[in-house]
Each structure stands twice: as structure tokens, then as C-alpha cells.
Amino acid sequence: MTRLHLINKAPDHPRFGRCLASLCAGDSLVLMENAVLAVAGDHGLPAENVMALADDLEARGLAGADHGTVTAIAMPELVALTETHASIINW
């Protein structure tokens, strides 16, 4: 059973670390709001299935930069992810 994790807390927030620790193989992680700041540093993001909302990247001056394995997505893609995962966890 794959899960979709939605996190909006900045990387220095305790909940961010708990979210990363709870990820299992096949889970997907979407960085939203201040969580997108994690693409700018080494915050232990998994190597696959990590996405960031493009609008939030742009709002924080992070749009267009190389974010390694993190994929920028738009809202319609987020909606599609909610339809393809067995459960959704909001952090």
C-alpha cells in the first residue's frame, strides 16, 4: 500500500524529520509551502518519488534551479497523485 505524504513544514521543524523517518518504499513525498526550502540544502530527502509544488518553489525564489531528484509539479499533478495513492498523510 503506497502512501502520499504532504508536508508543509520547513526542514528545521521537528515534524519534517518525523515525516522523512516514516517514509516506506514506494511512498511519495510532496513538499509544499515552506517545506520546499529542503531542495536548497542537504536535508535527507529520499532519492526517488519526491516532488515540490512549482508555485511554492517560485514564491521562495527556487524556481528554475536544479533540484536533483526533486520534481516540480503543478496543482493538477498533485490532484492526480491523490487519486493514485491508497492513503494520504498530511504533516
Side-chain angles (χ1 to χ4, degrees):
M1 170 168 84
T2 61
R3 301 175 297 176
L4 176 62
H5 298 261
L6 307 175
I7 178 93
N8 67 351
K9 304 298 182 207
D12 61 347
H13 192 283
R15 200 174 300 165
F16 191 90
R18 287 195 294 267
C19 172
L20 294 183
S22 73
L23 293 171
C24 296
D27 285 356
S28 295
L29 174 64
V30 177
L31 306 171
M32 306 164 63
E33 300 173 12
N34 284 337
V36 301
L37 298 172
V39 304
D42 182 18
H43 296 286
L45 294 174
E48 57 186 30
N49 298 327
V50 181
M51 292 139 280
L53 285 181
D55 288 344
D56 291 333
L57 288 168
E58 184 176 346
R60 286 152 184 86
L62 298 169
D66 178 21
H67 302 301
T69 60
V70 178
T71 304
I73 62 170
M75 195 56 71
E77 294 163 298
L78 175 61
V79 172
L81 285 169
T82 66
E83 297 171 343
T84 60
H85 286 77
S87 63
I88 301 168
I89 301 171
N90 289 302
W91 295 91

